[in-house]
Structure formats: structure tokens, C-alpha cells
Amino acid sequence: MNSPSLYLHPDRDACANELAQVLAGRLRADLQDGGRARLLLAGGQSPAPLLQRLAGETLDWSRVELSPTDERWVAVDDAASNLQLLRTALPQARLLDPRQGQTPEEAAQAWGERLAGWLPLSAVLLGMGEDGHIASLFPGMPGLASALAGDAAPAVLVGTAPVAPQLRLSANLALLRRSGWLGLLVFGSAKRELLEAVLADRPQTRRLPVHALVRQAGSRLQIHWAP
């Protein structure tokens, strides 16, 4: 397997600055000649400095379509909503709300169909938890094997998190991999230790979602780490 590229940054500000430039470059490439750029971004607190810098990039944001990699099944204005985070940080982009139905199952089906029309994506930036989850694909959750299957069709699924709010919507790994650029943003020593174990293919990591990402994406994956 060709290994992912691992970028070690001296601090989180430097990481955010470089990633903002990388992502802006990918978006500009797809915006040339009147095209559209489409990207999925992780939620949570880790991407916040990156989003602030990305918002300052000179782009035709009216042609940038954006959605989260995953979403909590909460109201759109709830503080836990990933879309709310993106709306606050990048209000100039065209946002696609994952809540495309009255029930989680209806929303997953409809959001998945909308995202399928975006493929291939311009860029996808994921985060990772200390348990090795990516997006809302958590170790041990029901349906995880099919969500990580390398031969699955791109889709959105209803997932279950071990912490509240437990009900989630998430792109599956097949959808997340269908992008021109694929990145993983990781902060802290504990997550670096886990990543090194995954990159070394240690047996205890082989059931983790991030392990499936690394093995399937290979050299297409850029991992950006800062203390």
C-alpha cells in the first residue's frame, strides 16, 4: 500500500494557514472557466481556525457549494449542529443542509442523493476522534462494516454515536473518498500516537474507521497534524 502523506506542523496556527491555502487552491482550480467547487468539511472545534482563514480567501463563494461530512440529528440552529458551525464561519458559501427529510432515514436518503450529484467532490477534509472515528462512523456502531466497505456505493447513512447527541447522519467512506483532494486534520499527542499505530498497521487498529480510511485512500490522503 502507498502510504498517506504526513505533514507535521509546529503549531495549530501554522497548520490552519497552510491548509487554508491548500483548500483555496483546490477550489480555485474547480472554479476556473465558470465551474463550481463542492466540498465537505468536518465539524467540531478543531477546524475552527482553519475555517476563519479559509473565509478570508478571495474566491467566488457564490459558486462554492458546501456541506458537512456528517451531522448531528438536532435542530439546524442548535449549537451542536455542524452545519451551524459552517454557516457561522463561511456564510458566503452555498450551504446544503443535511436535514433533507422529516426523519433521519428520509434525510439520509435525500442528502445522499444530493451529494451523489456533487461527485467527484473538489475536496473533503475529515477530523478524527481519539477513538479512531471519522465523520460519524464510530467504532462498533451498527452497520459500520457496510459503511466502510471499499466496494460500497457512495451514500449517506444513519449512525449512532457513543455520546449525545447520539443520532447522526454521515457520508459513508465510499462517498468521502470520491474527491479530488482528501485530507485528515489531527491535533494533539494522543491522536498522533493513534495515527502512528494505524500507519504501522498494528492489529489493534484494524477495526477502526480511520484504519479503513488510511488503507483505502493510501497516497491520496494528506494527514495534517499539529500539537
Side-chain angles (χ1 to χ4, degrees):
M1 182 199 77
N2 294 323
S3 297
S5 301
L6 177 60
Y7 298 86
L8 304 177
H9 301 276
D11 54 56
R12 298 185 185 190
D13 283 342
C15 180
N17 287 334
E18 180 166 334
L19 262 180
Q21 293 177 21
V22 169
L23 282 170
R26 293 297 313 181
L27 298 180
R28 288 191 186 98
D30 280 1
L31 290 173
Q32 289 179 354
D33 302 321
R36 291 185 177 273
R38 287 154 167 165
L39 75 157
L40 303 183
L41 295 177
Q45 296 306 309
S46 295
L50 162 67
L51 297 179
Q52 293 174 4
R53 288 158 178 79
L54 187 59
E57 293 287 333
T58 302
L59 294 164
D60 183 354
W61 287 101
S62 68
R63 293 189 289 121
V64 176
E65 296 180 310
L66 170 64
S67 205
T69 58
D70 60 302
E71 180 59 297
R72 298 166 172 92
W73 189 250
V74 295
V76 68
D77 58 353
D78 192 293
S81 166
N82 287 336
L83 187 77
Q84 177 68 4
L85 172 70
L86 297 181
R87 175 179 284 121
T88 300
L90 295 168
Q92 63 272 55
R94 296 171 60 88
L95 291 169
L96 173 61
D97 190 344
R99 300 162 191 78
Q100 298 287 311
Q102 295 299 310
T103 67
E105 292 75 17
E106 289 176 357
Q109 177 70 26
W111 186 33
E113 290 172 357
R114 290 287 300 276
L115 292 182
W118 286 13
L119 300 179
L121 298 156
S122 303
V124 170
L125 179 65
L126 291 159
M128 182 191 78
E130 291 187 5
D131 61 354
H133 82 264
I134 55 171
S136 280
L137 306 177
F138 290 89
M141 80 175 197
L144 181 64
S146 59
L148 299 177
D151 59 354
V156 168
L157 57 105
V158 179
T160 305
V163 295
Q166 291 185 305
L167 199 57
R168 310 287 178 97
L169 304 176
S170 182
N172 68 358
L173 185 52
L175 193 156
L176 295 168
R177 287 172 37 228
R178 289 283 305 278
S179 61
W181 183 90
L182 181 60
L184 179 66
L185 176 62
V186 183
F187 291 152
S189 58
K191 292 183 181 181
R192 181 173 175 181
E193 289 178 8
L194 176 58
L195 267 178
E196 289 174 346
V198 169
L199 292 171
D201 195 24
R202 294 179 187 163
Q204 67 269 27
T205 71
R206 292 176 185 168
R207 293 186 178 182
L208 300 181
V210 70
H211 185 279
L213 170 70
V214 166
R215 303 303 290 183
Q216 292 181 33
S219 60
R220 292 190 55 245
L221 178 65
Q222 287 190 14
I223 302 174
H224 290 260
W225 175 87

